[in-house]
């Protein structure tokens, strides 16, 4: 049985002091030991967030990282910088990174390999645009993203990864894929992993749904057999995030 994983993607929100205040507010609301809880926060807030989360079930993750340990990469964060402060999760390939910062499937793959090299669990994002969905190429497009992201990743590594399916048309728009639409794509992702590796690896990997998951729809989405959690944006910045984490209560 795969343990559910609910991750908050804070994006570019909350100053370090505001992050600490929010974590202190959310700690008692997300205390569900049946679920892995991760807050992926802006880089400047990682250290204070780690301090604030001590003694709780909250894991602190990063929103991005580079695929080199050091060098002339102004503004980037290295994986060993993250592990030095105890970070265990990192979001890789979010659609906003691809759209605004020219990330490609190839750079996503480099980051995934580097995350595994440093013992960080990647939350690997994939998702289609509204046009791609309307043209009926969603599954083909997602399969391409997955196959390139997992290039040269071992089965042992892949089994520990997290994949976040986020239809681009549902991120921050208030639009949400129906639970059946989300399940269809998450099932196709699992089938793709089985093709690349084997059934055991596909059965082990955790697949999240992202894209306007909220307290009202979380339970229905998380009841689907191939949806193992959520990557939550705006709702992770509010007390209602506790209701998502406690969807099973």
């Amino acid at each position: 049985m795969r343990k559910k994983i609910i991750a908050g993607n804070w994006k570019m929100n909350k100053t370090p002091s505001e992050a600490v205040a929010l974590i202190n507010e959310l700690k008692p609301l997300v205390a569900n030991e049946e679920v892995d809880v991760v807050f992926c926060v802006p880089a400047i807030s990682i250290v204070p967030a780690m301090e604030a989360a001590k003694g709780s079930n909250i894991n602190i993750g990063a929103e991005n990282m580079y695929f080199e340990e050091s060098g002339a990469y102004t503004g980037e964060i290295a994986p060993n910088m993250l592990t030095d402060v105890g970070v265990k999760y990192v979001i890789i390939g979010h659609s906003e990174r691809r759209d605004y910062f020219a990330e490609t499937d190839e750079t996503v793959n480099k980051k995934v390999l580097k995350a595994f090299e440093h013992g960080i669990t990647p939350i690997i994002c994939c998702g289609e645009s509204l046009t791609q969905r309307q043209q009926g190429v969603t599954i083909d497009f997602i399969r391409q993203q997955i196959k390139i992201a997992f290039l040269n990743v071992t089965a042992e590594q892949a089994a520990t990864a997290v994949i976040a399916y986020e239809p681009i048309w549902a991120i921050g728009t208030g639009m949400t894929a129906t639970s059946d639409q989300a399940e269809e794509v998450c099932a196709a992702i699992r089938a793709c992993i089985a093709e690349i590796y084997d059934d055991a690896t596909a059965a082990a990997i955790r697949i999240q749904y992202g894209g306007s998951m909220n307290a009202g729809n979380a339970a229905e989405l998380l009841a689907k057999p191939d949806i193992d959690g959520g990557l939550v944006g705006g709702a992770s910045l509010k007390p209602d995030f506790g209701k998502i984490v406690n969807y099973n209560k």
Side-chain angles (χ1 to χ4, degrees):
M1 186 70 179
R2 295 180 298 270
K3 189 176 184 180
K4 301 291 190 189
I5 176 168
I6 309 294
N9 176 14
W10 286 17
K11 307 189 180 185
M12 196 177 72
N13 291 294
K14 301 298 178 183
T15 64
S17 59
E18 290 170 342
V20 169
L22 181 59
I23 289 169
N24 286 330
E25 180 182 10
L26 289 175
K27 271 194 287 194
L29 305 179
V30 299
N32 184 352
E33 295 295 339
E34 297 173 27
V35 175
D36 284 336
V37 179
V38 184
F39 291 165
C40 294
V41 305
I44 196 170
S45 295
I46 288 173
V47 172
M50 295 283 291
E51 286 296 315
K54 276 184 178 176
S56 75
N57 64 316
I58 298 169
N59 296 282
I60 300 300
E63 297 179 12
N64 183 38
M65 58 161 238
Y66 199 54
F67 49 77
E68 299 287 354
E69 284 86 358
S70 62
Y73 307 108
T74 301
E76 291 294 337
I77 304 294
N80 44 309
M81 294 176 183
L82 297 178
T83 55
D84 190 66
V85 295
V87 168
K88 292 185 170 59
Y89 293 90
V90 61
I91 297 172
I92 294 178
H94 191 278
S95 62
E96 290 160 0
R97 297 289 316 172
R98 296 175 189 255
D99 189 21
Y100 304 147
F101 303 105
E103 289 201 6
T104 65
D105 290 338
E106 289 74 21
T107 58
V108 166
N109 174 243
K110 287 182 178 182
K111 291 182 179 186
V112 168
L113 292 170
K114 190 58 68 171
F116 280 126
E117 185 181 320
H118 286 267
I120 305 172
T121 299
I123 299 174
I124 305 162
C125 298
C126 61
E128 83 283 13
S129 68
L130 184 58
T131 299
Q132 288 162 336
R133 174 161 284 276
Q134 290 171 336
Q135 293 302 312
V137 299
T138 293
I139 301 301
D140 291 337
F141 181 73
I142 298 293
R143 282 171 56 85
Q144 175 179 306
Q145 288 185 310
I146 294 300
K147 287 192 172 188
I148 297 175
F150 282 85
L151 183 65
N152 296 321
V153 173
T154 69
E156 183 180 19
Q157 291 170 330
T160 68
V162 178
I163 298 173
Y165 165 56
E166 292 198 304
I168 298 169
W169 49 271
I171 298 173
T173 62
M175 298 172 64
T176 309
T178 67
S179 57
D180 287 338
Q181 287 175 321
E183 167 63 17
E184 178 188 21
V185 178
C186 290
I189 291 170
R190 202 174 302 283
C192 185
I193 293 295
E195 285 178 28
I196 299 169
Y197 300 105
D198 49 44
D199 289 343
T201 305
I205 200 166
R206 293 190 287 181
I207 304 173
Q208 299 173 314
Y209 171 74
S212 300
M213 179 181 276
N214 56 53
N217 60 29
E220 182 182 352
L221 287 162
L222 293 168
K224 294 295 184 180
D226 289 295
I227 301 178
D228 306 311
L231 183 59
V232 183
S236 69
L237 300 168
K238 304 171 185 175
D240 263 10
F241 186 61
K243 296 178 182 177
I244 298 174
V245 171
N246 292 291
Y247 74 97
N248 58 344
K249 300 296 186 183

